[in-house]
Amino acid sequence: EQRHAVLARNGSTPERVFATDIGNLERTASSVTATAFRDVVDVLASAREIVVIAGGIVTAPAMFLTYSLRVIGLQARAVLETVYCLP
C-alpha cells in the first residue's frame, strides 16, 4: 500500500512511464549519428547469424531482441545464463 501511495503522489503512472521512455529514446537518438546507425544496420543485416548473450536481469530483453530480430527476417539465437537457450 505504501508503494501505491508513492505512485499516486508522484502523478499518473502511465504518463510518467511514457515520459521516461520518450526521454530515454531522445537521449539515445541524440547520441547516435545517422552514419553509425546505418553501419550497425548493415553489419546486422549482413551477418550470417546474430548471437545474443545475456544473463540475470537482462535475460528477458535479450529474448525480446532475439525474437524481434527473427521477426524482421534475421537469423538470431539467444544464449542465456540459464539452461534454456533459443536455438
Side-chain angles (χ1 to χ4, degrees), residues 3 9 11 13-14 17 19 21 27 29 31 34 40 42 44 47-50 52 54 67 70 73 80 84 86:
R3 185 172 61 183
R9 187 172 56 240
T13 300
V17 169
D21 287 346
R27 276 192 303 284
S31 68
V40 170
D42 290 343
L44 291 174
R48 186 179 61 190
E49 180 180 39
I50 301 163
V52 179
Y67 169 78
R70 288 177 173 186
L80 308 172
Y84 181 77
L86 294 175

Side-chain angles (χ1 to χ4, degrees), residues 6-19:
V6 170
L7 289 173
R9 187 172 56 240
N10 291 332
S12 174
T13 300
E15 284 82 6
R16 285 185 321 159
V17 169
F18 292 130

